[in-house]
Amino acid sequence: MSSLEVRSLTVSFDDNVVLKDVSLALGEGEVVALLGPSGSGKSTLLRVIAGILAPDSGTVHIGRRDMSSVPTHRRGVGMVFQDDQLFPHRSTVDNVAFGLKMSGVGRAERRARAATLLARVGLAGFADRRVTDLSGGEAKRVALARTLATEPNILLLDEPLTGLDRELHDRLAGELTDILSAAEVTTLLVTHDPDEARTITSRSLNILDL
Amino acid sequence: MDGADDRVTRLPSRQPGWLVLVLAAGPVAGLAVFYFWPFLTLIAEAVTGETVADALTRRTTWNVAWFTMWQATISTALTILVGLAPAYVFARYRFPGRQLLVGLLTALFVLPTVVMGAAFLALLPSSLDRTVWAVIGAHVAFNLAVVVRLVGALWEHLPTDMESAAATLGASPRRVFTEISLPLIRPAITAAAAIVFLFTFTSFGVIRVLGAPGTRTIEVEIWRRATQLGRVGEAAVLALLQLVVLAVIVLWSTLSQRRHSRALGLEPLTLRRAPRGRGERRLVLAVAAATAVVAAVPLVALAARSFSTPTGWSTAGWTNLGRTDIRPGIRIGIDPIEALGNSLRTALWATLIAVVIGGVASLAIAAAGRSGRFLDVGLMLPLATSAVTIGFGMLITFDTSPTDWRASWWLLPVGHALVAVPFVVRSAVGVLRSVDPAMIGAAATLGASPVRAWREIVVPYLWQPLAVGAALAAAISLGEFGATSLLSRSGSETLPIAIEQLLGRTGSILQAQGYALATLLAVATMLLVALVDKAQLFRQGQRQP
């Protein structure tokens, strides 16, 4: 758990300025929603925080440390992508255990920890499923479990509930609130739905005001 | 998944049996006489016990087999290794010159083998130019386009976010590659490796130009034993041995691709973007520059050497193309201008035969519905058989009257057409099959009989793919060297034969002439293939909804 601070970030693609002088700050353990219409650069901001995209100017600090020259895999930032990005050539449990494998955790232990996490997102017994056979809601939970498994300092969620049907959406929103409060991780959640933001988070920002 | 579906979509285009028979008769007869008969003759020649024993107990046979195997393995592995970086960069990034570089690699790939050999002969210092490393270098440059295109096509569909997701889970760039990208692009790597292996295993032209006694592939050895040593039976044994190896490889690659073609559903194309940040810009610049060097340098060297003589730059190689005597009164029996004429004549006839046979065959295949597949596969077989084997089979088959056709001028164009027909068929059948069957149904409701509807609606689609097929056939015939090495008669050499002979001689004017002819052939081939590319782009543009 760390604080997150973004200072006067500017990103442009060719001549198209997507983020202009954007700043925001999250306290340790805070869960904040980032609202804004589509195309307003919410996903771009998450990518810059995760180090996937280099900004034209501005800095990202995590726990007071400047992350500008730290590559993605050393930032301790977990991110759940809008379309999950599960690895199709790995089983469900191997997806969840991927981060543990990268940090050198032994096979037996990571399998056990991945199984615990799967249970925590309500997918006990799904370990050996192929991820290509999962439903939309199941895949979303696997993506969340996979990211939580690395115990990130910062958690980024990119439209985690978009595209699910109403009933599933409401149920997952509730579960997500519980999971996030249990995980005690500084979280930035991107959404375009103010109701969803109110349900899950304690504070909402609009990207257009930043 | 075919079954019912197939019946619905194909049925209206199926034609009465007599029409299919009439259309298929020519191609089937041609295939039987000029492919299957020589093939059976070859087997008969090979299987007499004595020759098998002779061939298999000779030590050179095993040396040649071993060399063929290891140079193909090394060439393939290197091509894949070298090709992955450009495959990635071309698939992922948008940058000025990208299109040009891909085009250049493709141009290299379509060069006639003899020209590629000549380019590396021109490029390398004489201490290196007749070693196995020259051969392998030429193989790698030659086949780079296979890797870049096949692997790149899959890589384009791999979401960049999947790699980013792995990075957020703690994977370093190297591990992202080994854990995520590599397993997912493996089907394309396998496919590319199989193709490159087939090409390099049967390498002939490159080795004839660059090779030394120690660097002979089976393909070269077949030619050598058949024509230089007169041991026809042994050559036949080697040809069969090679066919068995090729069949095993094709089978393996088909099976392994089937096994791995799961997982990745068709993801939408990840958009290419401009490189961002210093690291990415450096990567793109380095890979693009390296690719440009690899692709352009052999071609530049080839052209440059046609102007170089020991006494400095000179156009003598070009201006002397029409002269057959190197010094007054001294001739070596190679006439470059006549070779050019022979090549053009041969290409003209080969193209004509390939287009007529291929066009009629395509109509037959499209009209026959499912059973058309037999003709389709049959016509592809010459491609799976090495060129030398085809020429060799024809050479030993058509040597007794009434079919003693070895001296006939038309045997060579027929041999070339055999190799070119598959390209015409592939070009045409796809288009014919994509004709909306509903249109034929519509014509039927307007009172057209099935045959009439077919003539009015399907046949007109044939012209454009035939033009594409014709250009490809001409390019293939102009550069064909394997079958030609066995079928061409002295005095009627084609360009590739003349190039190989000129480059094999000492004498700077002869060498310069050889390089000049090779340059000419390179330009002609690239123009033809560029024409095909344009036509296909045009067609795609036209056919978009």
Side-chain angles (χ1 to χ4, degrees), chain A residues 148-163:
Chain A
L148 290 175
T150 60
E151 298 179 0
N153 294 322
I154 307 287
L155 176 61
L156 307 173
L157 303 171
D158 193 357
E159 306 261 10
L161 303 178
T162 304

PDB file of all heavy atoms in Angstrom, chain A residues 148-163:
ATOM      1  N   LEU A 148      -4.366  -9.266  -8.079  1.00  0.00           N
ATOM      2  CA  LEU A 148      -4.235  -9.225  -6.620  1.00  0.00           C
ATOM      3  C   LEU A 148      -3.137 -10.173  -6.134  1.00  0.00           C
ATOM      4  O   LEU A 148      -2.506  -9.923  -5.107  1.00  0.00           O
ATOM      5  CB  LEU A 148      -5.572  -9.580  -5.963  1.00  0.00           C
ATOM      6  CG  LEU A 148      -6.676  -8.531  -6.124  1.00  0.00           C
ATOM      7  CD1 LEU A 148      -7.989  -9.046  -5.552  1.00  0.00           C
ATOM      8  CD2 LEU A 148      -6.275  -7.215  -5.454  1.00  0.00           C
ATOM      9  N   ALA A 149      -2.916 -11.252  -6.900  1.00  0.00           N
ATOM     10  CA  ALA A 149      -1.924 -12.241  -6.484  1.00  0.00           C
ATOM     11  C   ALA A 149      -0.541 -11.625  -6.325  1.00  0.00           C
ATOM     12  O   ALA A 149       0.267 -12.097  -5.525  1.00  0.00           O
ATOM     13  CB  ALA A 149      -1.874 -13.392  -7.497  1.00  0.00           C
ATOM     14  N   THR A 150      -0.244 -10.569  -7.087  1.00  0.00           N
ATOM     15  CA  THR A 150       1.088  -9.969  -6.996  1.00  0.00           C
ATOM     16  C   THR A 150       1.198  -8.992  -5.833  1.00  0.00           C
ATOM     17  O   THR A 150       2.254  -8.406  -5.619  1.00  0.00           O
ATOM     18  CB  THR A 150       1.438  -9.214  -8.292  1.00  0.00           C
ATOM     19  OG1 THR A 150       0.469  -8.177  -8.480  1.00  0.00           O
ATOM     20  CG2 THR A 150       1.415 -10.123  -9.502  1.00  0.00           C
ATOM     21  N   GLU A 151       0.077  -8.800  -5.081  1.00  0.00           N
ATOM     22  CA  GLU A 151       0.027  -7.839  -3.975  1.00  0.00           C
ATOM     23  C   GLU A 151       0.628  -6.494  -4.377  1.00  0.00           C
ATOM     24  O   GLU A 151       1.636  -6.054  -3.819  1.00  0.00           O
ATOM     25  CB  GLU A 151       0.744  -8.413  -2.745  1.00  0.00           C
ATOM     26  CG  GLU A 151       0.045  -9.671  -2.267  1.00  0.00           C
ATOM     27  CD  GLU A 151       0.746 -10.301  -1.051  1.00  0.00           C
ATOM     28  OE1 GLU A 151       1.758  -9.749  -0.593  1.00  0.00           O
ATOM     29  OE2 GLU A 151       0.247 -11.337  -0.585  1.00  0.00           O
ATOM     30  N   PRO A 152       0.010  -5.837  -5.358  1.00  0.00           N
ATOM     31  CA  PRO A 152       0.563  -4.584  -5.871  1.00  0.00           C
ATOM     32  C   PRO A 152       0.429  -3.455  -4.854  1.00  0.00           C
ATOM     33  O   PRO A 152      -0.429  -3.501  -3.972  1.00  0.00           O
ATOM     34  CB  PRO A 152      -0.302  -4.297  -7.099  1.00  0.00           C
ATOM     35  CG  PRO A 152      -1.602  -4.992  -6.813  1.00  0.00           C
ATOM     36  CD  PRO A 152      -1.257  -6.202  -6.008  1.00  0.00           C
ATOM     37  N   ASN A 153       1.302  -2.440  -4.992  1.00  0.00           N
ATOM     38  CA  ASN A 153       1.195  -1.239  -4.162  1.00  0.00           C
ATOM     39  C   ASN A 153       0.037  -0.378  -4.632  1.00  0.00           C
ATOM     40  O   ASN A 153      -0.611   0.288  -3.845  1.00  0.00           O
ATOM     41  CB  ASN A 153       2.488  -0.430  -4.227  1.00  0.00           C
ATOM     42  CG  ASN A 153       3.642  -1.184  -3.613  1.00  0.00           C
ATOM     43  OD1 ASN A 153       3.465  -1.872  -2.610  1.00  0.00           O
ATOM     44  ND2 ASN A 153       4.803  -1.092  -4.224  1.00  0.00           N
ATOM     45  N   ILE A 154      -0.140  -0.356  -5.940  1.00  0.00           N
ATOM     46  CA  ILE A 154      -1.218   0.419  -6.548  1.00  0.00           C
ATOM     47  C   ILE A 154      -2.020  -0.514  -7.431  1.00  0.00           C
ATOM     48  O   ILE A 154      -1.446  -1.311  -8.175  1.00  0.00           O
ATOM     49  CB  ILE A 154      -0.644   1.546  -7.447  1.00  0.00           C
ATOM     50  CG1 ILE A 154       0.360   2.417  -6.689  1.00  0.00           C
ATOM     51  CG2 ILE A 154      -1.776   2.370  -8.053  1.00  0.00           C
ATOM     52  CD1 ILE A 154      -0.268   3.339  -5.677  1.00  0.00           C
ATOM     53  N   LEU A 155      -3.342  -0.406  -7.368  1.00  0.00           N
ATOM     54  CA  LEU A 155      -4.190  -1.233  -8.228  1.00  0.00           C
ATOM     55  C   LEU A 155      -4.949  -0.326  -9.189  1.00  0.00           C
ATOM     56  O   LEU A 155      -5.593   0.641  -8.765  1.00  0.00           O
ATOM     57  CB  LEU A 155      -5.174  -2.030  -7.365  1.00  0.00           C
ATOM     58  CG  LEU A 155      -6.205  -2.888  -8.105  1.00  0.00           C
ATOM     59  CD1 LEU A 155      -5.528  -3.958  -8.957  1.00  0.00           C
ATOM     60  CD2 LEU A 155      -7.170  -3.555  -7.113  1.00  0.00           C
ATOM     61  N   LEU A 156      -4.844  -0.626 -10.471  1.00  0.00           N
ATOM     62  CA  LEU A 156      -5.561   0.145 -11.483  1.00  0.00           C
ATOM     63  C   LEU A 156      -6.624  -0.741 -12.114  1.00  0.00           C
ATOM     64  O   LEU A 156      -6.333  -1.858 -12.542  1.00  0.00           O
ATOM     65  CB  LEU A 156      -4.591   0.633 -12.563  1.00  0.00           C
ATOM     66  CG  LEU A 156      -3.365   1.407 -12.061  1.00  0.00           C
ATOM     67  CD1 LEU A 156      -2.415   1.686 -13.222  1.00  0.00           C
ATOM     68  CD2 LEU A 156      -3.792   2.706 -11.388  1.00  0.00           C
ATOM     69  N   LEU A 157      -7.852  -0.252 -12.158  1.00  0.00           N
ATOM     70  CA  LEU A 157      -8.939  -1.039 -12.751  1.00  0.00           C
ATOM     71  C   LEU A 157      -9.523  -0.234 -13.906  1.00  0.00           C
ATOM     72  O   LEU A 157     -10.030   0.857 -13.707  1.00  0.00           O
ATOM     73  CB  LEU A 157     -10.029  -1.314 -11.719  1.00  0.00           C
ATOM     74  CG  LEU A 157      -9.598  -2.030 -10.443  1.00  0.00           C
ATOM     75  CD1 LEU A 157     -10.726  -2.045  -9.417  1.00  0.00           C
ATOM     76  CD2 LEU A 157      -9.167  -3.450 -10.753  1.00  0.00           C
ATOM     77  N   ASP A 158      -9.428  -0.784 -15.112  1.00  0.00           N
ATOM     78  CA  ASP A 158      -9.909  -0.060 -16.288  1.00  0.00           C
ATOM     79  C   ASP A 158     -11.291  -0.581 -16.677  1.00  0.00           C
ATOM     80  O   ASP A 158     -11.399  -1.667 -17.233  1.00  0.00           O
ATOM     81  CB  ASP A 158      -8.914  -0.245 -17.439  1.00  0.00           C
ATOM     82  CG  ASP A 158      -9.183   0.725 -18.572  1.00  0.00           C
ATOM     83  OD1 ASP A 158     -10.165   1.488 -18.478  1.00  0.00           O
ATOM     84  OD2 ASP A 158      -8.413   0.732 -19.548  1.00  0.00           O
ATOM     85  N   GLU A 159     -12.315   0.179 -16.357  1.00  0.00           N
ATOM     86  CA  GLU A 159     -13.703  -0.194 -16.663  1.00  0.00           C
ATOM     87  C   GLU A 159     -13.963  -1.659 -16.321  1.00  0.00           C
ATOM     88  O   GLU A 159     -14.345  -2.439 -17.179  1.00  0.00           O
ATOM     89  CB  GLU A 159     -13.990   0.012 -18.166  1.00  0.00           C
ATOM     90  CG  GLU A 159     -13.668   1.400 -18.677  1.00  0.00           C
ATOM     91  CD  GLU A 159     -14.879   2.300 -18.777  1.00  0.00           C
ATOM     92  OE1 GLU A 159     -15.953   1.902 -18.258  1.00  0.00           O
ATOM     93  OE2 GLU A 159     -14.754   3.401 -19.341  1.00  0.00           O
ATOM     94  N   PRO A 160     -13.785  -2.064 -15.053  1.00  0.00           N
ATOM     95  CA  PRO A 160     -13.852  -3.490 -14.740  1.00  0.00           C
ATOM     96  C   PRO A 160     -15.238  -4.092 -14.908  1.00  0.00           C
ATOM     97  O   PRO A 160     -15.366  -5.304 -15.063  1.00  0.00           O
ATOM     98  CB  PRO A 160     -13.400  -3.555 -13.275  1.00  0.00           C
ATOM     99  CG  PRO A 160     -13.698  -2.207 -12.725  1.00  0.00           C
ATOM    100  CD  PRO A 160     -13.513  -1.254 -13.859  1.00  0.00           C
ATOM    101  N   LEU A 161     -16.270  -3.273 -14.881  1.00  0.00           N
ATOM    102  CA  LEU A 161     -17.619  -3.850 -14.913  1.00  0.00           C
ATOM    103  C   LEU A 161     -18.370  -3.524 -16.207  1.00  0.00           C
ATOM    104  O   LEU A 161     -19.549  -3.837 -16.345  1.00  0.00           O
ATOM    105  CB  LEU A 161     -18.427  -3.345 -13.712  1.00  0.00           C
ATOM    106  CG  LEU A 161     -17.773  -3.653 -12.362  1.00  0.00           C
ATOM    107  CD1 LEU A 161     -18.591  -3.079 -11.217  1.00  0.00           C
ATOM    108  CD2 LEU A 161     -17.605  -5.158 -12.175  1.00  0.00           C
ATOM    109  N   THR A 162     -17.680  -2.887 -17.130  1.00  0.00           N
ATOM    110  CA  THR A 162     -18.337  -2.527 -18.385  1.00  0.00           C
ATOM    111  C   THR A 162     -18.596  -3.771 -19.226  1.00  0.00           C
ATOM    112  O   THR A 162     -17.764  -4.672 -19.282  1.00  0.00           O
ATOM    113  CB  THR A 162     -17.451  -1.546 -19.182  1.00  0.00           C
ATOM    114  OG1 THR A 162     -17.191  -0.427 -18.352  1.00  0.00           O
ATOM    115  CG2 THR A 162     -18.138  -1.090 -20.450  1.00  0.00           C
ATOM    116  N   GLY A 163     -19.738  -3.819 -19.852  1.00  0.00           N
ATOM    117  CA  GLY A 163     -20.036  -4.903 -20.775  1.00  0.00           C
ATOM    118  C   GLY A 163     -20.663  -6.116 -20.118  1.00  0.00           C
ATOM    119  O   GLY A 163     -20.922  -7.108 -20.792  1.00  0.00           O
TER     120      GLY A 163
END
